[in-house]
Amino acid sequence: MSERLLDWAVQLAVAEETAREMARVKAEKVKVELAPPKPVTRVVELKDRLVKAELTVFEAKAPGSLHELMLRSSDKEYSIMLVTDGILKLYKSWDEMQAVSQYLDTVAAFEENGEYILHVKDFSWLESAYAVVSVKKPMNFSNIFIKYDLYLV
């Protein structure tokens, strides 16, 4: 009987050790699966771009975040629209943005050396995002700069 008990005790110890090892392996696998994806940074820079009506300056179809979007033109008669996850987050003219930019961290609109600059930053999305510049008359943008991250799986 004592030999049987010893066999049973050894089997129980082996089973417990196997269960612990399986739990450790499973925990490591879950940890790897739950690790956030590393961002892929994208930069778009357009120089001397003529916009006749609208221009989609960026479009993303994966989770991501906008670091910054900068528009520079000698004319201020333009608007910016930013949509994230199908929700309109921003749709303002340069004048409207300039009026509120001193109160917001995410927006700056100012005139410098005869150019009207709009700077937007720090927007995130889970599925998709895009930004569109609209003009009332054809307008040249000396510089359009966008930097954003995509989290690709």
Side-chain angles (χ1 to χ4, degrees):
M1 171 101 167
S2 66
E3 190 175 304
R4 231 168 141 193
L5 266 171
L6 185 59
D7 284 346
W8 183 79
V10 169
Q11 288 177 357
L12 182 61
V14 169
E16 286 176 346
E17 185 58 33
T18 302
R20 274 193 291 277
E21 180 62 19
M22 289 176 65
R24 186 189 63 75
V25 169
K26 188 173 183 177
E28 285 178 9
K29 184 178 178 187
V30 167
K31 192 184 297 183
V32 168
E33 289 174 0
L34 293 179
K38 298 217 185 258
V40 176
T41 301
R42 302 277 166 90
V43 174
V44 176
E45 187 165 18
L46 307 172
K47 300 244 185 206
D48 297 317
R49 179 61 60 110
L50 178 65
V51 177
K52 295 181 180 178
E54 288 186 345
L55 174 66
T56 301
V57 293
F58 96 94
E59 185 172 13
K61 296 189 183 230
S65 60
L66 175 70
H67 289 284
E68 58 185 313
L69 181 150
M70 189 271 305
L71 305 169
R72 182 185 292 262
S73 178
S74 60
D75 194 335
K76 64 178 181 174
E77 298 300 316
Y78 64 89
S79 298
I80 182 78
M81 177 174 65
L82 178 64
V83 176
T84 64
D85 297 322
I87 299 167
L88 181 65
K89 295 292 177 106
L90 183 66
Y91 186 45
K92 302 272 186 211
S93 68
W94 186 92
D95 283 328
E96 291 171 315
M97 299 290 272
Q98 196 271 334
V100 299
S101 69
Q102 66 184 357
Y103 306 109
L104 302 173
D105 291 334
T106 58
V107 174
F110 55 95
E111 184 269 335
E112 180 180 83
N113 299 325
E115 288 198 300
Y116 296 91
I117 299 163
L118 177 66
H119 188 258
V120 177
K121 64 179 185 172
D122 298 335
F123 282 86
S124 298
W125 57 91
L126 294 174
E127 295 177 6
S128 64
Y130 64 91
V132 177
V133 175
S134 302
V135 297
K136 295 178 181 174
K137 61 183 181 193
M139 181 185 306
N140 189 58
F141 286 84
S142 59
N143 194 332
I144 299 172
F145 179 86
I146 304 102
K147 180 180 177 186
Y148 61 100
D149 284 343
L150 293 178
Y151 298 93
L152 305 173
V153 180

